[in-house]
Amino acid sequence: MEEAPEDPNLLDKVINLAKRRGFVFASAEIYGGFRSTYDYGPLGVNMLRNVKQAWWTAMVQNRNDIVGLDAAILGPPAVWAASGHLETFTDPLVDCLQCKERWREDKINGVCPNCGSTSFTEARAFNLMFKTQAGPVEGEGATAYLRPETAQGMFTNFNNVLATTRKKPPFGIAQIGKSFRNEITPQNFVFRTREFEQMEMEYFVPPADAPQWHQYWIQQRYDWYIGLGIPSDKLRLYEHKKEDLSHYSKGTTDVEFAFPWGFDELEGVANRGDYDLTQHSNASGVKLEFFDQATNEHYTPYVIEPAAGATRAMMAFLLAAYHEDEVEGEVRTVLRLDWRLAPFQVAVLPLSKKPELEGVSEGVLAALRPHFMCDYDVTQSIGRRYRRQDEIGTPFCVTVDFDSLDDQSVTVRDRDTTAQARVKIDDLLAELRTRTGQR
Ligand code: GAP
């Protein structure tokens, strides 16, 4: 199996595959599309759920010190005034004086990407929050905002979570959900969109311990991507310069991925200090503090925040997994996704549509389905079906053939090596669990 060198058309190929096989569709396509919004198709929704589940498993399920939350998307202006978003969550907007296109000043290096002009209006601050109205009556009291980050729900519920879980610092609150930003220049497929999903965790620590927890979480988050198959030469850490920090941050290190246009942010790990809890305490009049019984003191914890994008991470996993190699003299496309991320883990393929084979296949499916997301495909030649499964990253194909009727065995084919092995149907689940490192 020979590997092709790095492909200059990788982005186009992945976008094309995503559309052709049902990972990601342009939103409202039958109406000509709606710029920068995307719908996740039958395969994409599986994969996106798997990315989020892998995060939840690492951040909540496998830990004693982190609990989950699912807060509202709509919020009143008071939250966003206190968080600083109303005032400072802006990008510098310029208009090209020649072609009138609007750009984010800090992304274009003084040259209009549309017409090449270097003449622009003065930059003005453009707030990225989507403003809407809650209820039927317009007016100040009805204004609401779609959250631009999931984080604030974790700060405003700080006391609720403390009271109901009896956690104490260091402890974290984790949340996965949609966020919305009116990006001036959404671009690069699902990398930067106006509607996207975040996976964020606010880790509350005694202030003196914040620097070491910051380093801990940078390393944890880097390792999470490596553990799910991103090669280390495609990942790096980037520490923000002081002058570039967000309004709440005392220090941020990004985990960056080698996207086709260069290294770019996958996730930010910030030390938010006591900024948010203090702001919300002051604005609401409700103290958001921790009472330390050991020292008999109240204090405001510092927050370390690993903030990832689920949709952006899915794109990185797709890009890293996309390969073209040669099998039996033919080029094949294969997504070498970690089995936990693949839309289907197993495809059950009866060699023909004969009812006796379909009967056995259905039994195999019934045995595997509680444990793995399975596809079932009876159309086309077996070779074509293997290629179709390789292209969507299915790690294992299980073929039921006429010998299966006699020997009660099936063929298990490995996506990456294409090696095939005969396995007793009774041993199949155990075999797949072993191969996926589950026992
Ligand atoms: N609470 C902190 C926060 O929101 P951020 O760096 O602005 O920090 C965190 O966002 C992550 O959310 C980013 O690293 C990225 O993965 C994702 N993200 C942010 N804006 C996005 C957008 N417009 N489209 C897709 N993903 C986005």
Side-chain angles (χ1 to χ4, degrees):
M1 231 177 300
E2 220 166 279
E3 193 63 40
E6 191 88 359
D7 188 340
N9 301 318
L10 177 63
L11 183 59
D12 286 342
K13 287 182 175 177
V14 168
I15 294 173
N16 182 290
L17 173 68
K19 160 124 209 242
R20 192 163 42 79
R21 296 304 309 273
F23 283 83
V24 180
F25 305 125
S27 209
E29 206 177 6
I30 59 168
Y31 292 100
F34 184 50
R35 195 172 168 221
S36 164
T37 48
Y38 292 92
D39 299 338
Y40 289 75
L43 296 189
V45 72
N46 280 359
M47 184 173 171
L48 186 57
R49 286 173 77 108
N50 292 343
V51 170
K52 292 185 283 188
Q53 185 56 49
W55 188 89
W56 198 259
T57 302
M59 302 296 275
V60 181
Q61 187 177 340
N62 288 348
R63 302 188 63 111
N64 291 329
D65 54 347
I66 302 181
V67 295
L69 184 80
D70 192 357
I73 287 172
L74 280 177
V79 168
W80 309 109
S83 70
H85 284 82
L86 272 181
E87 177 108 25
T88 51
F89 196 58
T90 58
D91 276 341
L93 174 72
V94 291
D95 292 328
C96 170
L97 289 175
Q98 194 163 296
C99 72
K100 312 292 180 216
E101 274 288 321
R102 295 200 149 159
W103 302 106
R104 222 177 109 172
E105 189 193 32
D106 56 332
K107 294 282 178 195
I108 57 171
N109 291 326
V111 181
C112 175
N114 190 39
C115 71
S117 161
T118 51
S119 306
F120 296 94
T121 56
E122 282 293 304
R124 55 207 184 279
F126 173 74
N127 194 292
L128 298 182
M129 280 195 298
F130 280 99
K131 191 176 183 177
T132 186
Q133 175 197 315
V137 184
E138 281 185 42
E140 254 321 287
T143 301
Y145 291 90
L146 302 190
R147 66 183 178 196
E149 59 172 16
T150 60
Q152 296 306 318
M154 289 169 298
F155 302 128
T156 55
N157 279 293
F158 178 77
N159 283 351
N160 287 335
V161 173
L162 265 191
T164 50
T165 64
R166 311 188 69 80
K167 295 281 176 207
K168 50 185 183 190
F171 83 99
I173 309 178
Q175 180 170 202
I176 298 176
K178 288 221 169 177
S179 292
F180 301 82
R181 296 182 189 178
N182 199 358
E183 301 281 2
I184 297 169
T185 45
Q187 61 196 155
N188 288 332
F189 194 41
V190 297
F191 178 80
R192 182 177 296 111
T193 50
R194 297 199 170 111
E195 175 178 345
F196 54 97
E197 261 188 289
Q198 289 189 305
M199 310 183 288
E200 298 197 291
M201 195 275 290
E202 311 303 322
Y203 200 71
F204 300 93
V205 302
D209 301 343
Q212 83 210 40
W213 281 115
H214 193 197
Q215 290 313 309
Y216 169 86
W217 280 110
I218 293 166
Q219 191 61 47
Q220 286 286 311
R221 296 304 307 144
Y222 179 90
D223 292 346
W224 184 78
Y225 293 100
I226 297 278
L228 286 169
I230 304 249
S232 58
D233 63 342
K234 293 204 179 303
L235 271 191
R236 73 175 189 195
L237 296 173
Y238 167 75
E239 190 178 342
H240 284 234
K241 298 193 189 80
K242 286 271 171 268
E243 61 271 24
D244 295 336
L245 291 174
S246 311
H247 62 275
Y248 51 73
S249 177
K250 285 183 178 308
T252 300
T253 294
D254 287 346
V255 181
E256 292 191 331
F257 174 72
F259 286 95
W261 56 90
F263 274 97
D264 212 335
E265 178 182 342
L266 202 48
E267 157 159 6
V269 187
N271 176 356
R272 294 180 79 125
D274 60 1
Y275 175 85
D276 303 273
L277 291 181
T278 304
Q279 288 287 107
H280 286 301
S281 288
N282 292 343
S284 66
V286 177
K287 281 204 160 55
L288 301 172
E289 296 175 336
F290 178 71
F291 176 63
D292 189 344
Q293 284 177 330
T295 58
N296 220 19
E297 273 176 351
H298 290 270
Y299 72 88
T300 307
Y302 273 26
V303 172
I304 307 301
E305 177 197 63
T311 37
R312 192 177 288 186
M314 174 174 150
M315 180 176 172
F317 285 122
L318 279 175
L319 286 164
Y322 186 97
H323 288 84
E324 287 170 3
D325 59 15
E326 213 180 288
V327 174
E328 291 160 9
E330 267 184 42
V331 175
R332 74 158 180 168
T333 300
V334 54
L335 284 186
R336 294 207 185 120
L337 289 169
D338 185 283
W339 70 274
R340 289 164 291 183
L341 302 181
F344 296 115
Q345 279 107 37
V346 184
V348 176
L349 312 173
L351 197 61
S352 90
K353 283 184 184 161
K354 291 258 161 38
E356 57 268 40
L357 289 195
E358 291 218 59
V360 176
S361 303
E362 276 159 25
V364 169
L365 260 185
L368 296 182
R369 266 190 177 143
H371 309 277
F372 295 106
M373 183 63 87
C374 297
D375 194 14
Y376 183 68
D377 188 2
V378 284
T379 56
Q380 299 186 318
S381 74
I382 194 71
R384 292 284 291 271
R385 280 183 275 166
Y386 284 154
R387 296 291 177 276
R388 284 176 58 76
Q389 295 297 334
D390 291 343
E391 194 182 49
I392 62 171
T394 309
F396 306 108
C397 288
V398 171
T399 308
V400 179
D401 57 24
F402 289 100
D403 288 343
S404 305
L405 302 175
D406 298 326
D407 66 4
Q408 298 302 307
S409 298
V410 289
T411 300
V412 176
R413 175 187 177 272
D414 180 282
R415 175 196 69 199
D416 295 335
T417 62
T418 72
Q420 303 189 9
R422 203 76 186 153
V423 177
K424 286 262 173 235
I425 293 174
D426 284 349
D427 300 336
L428 183 59
L429 177 59
E431 170 72 17
L432 293 177
R433 289 175 76 89
T434 304
R435 289 195 190 199
T436 51
Q438 293 180 87
R439 60 165 67 167

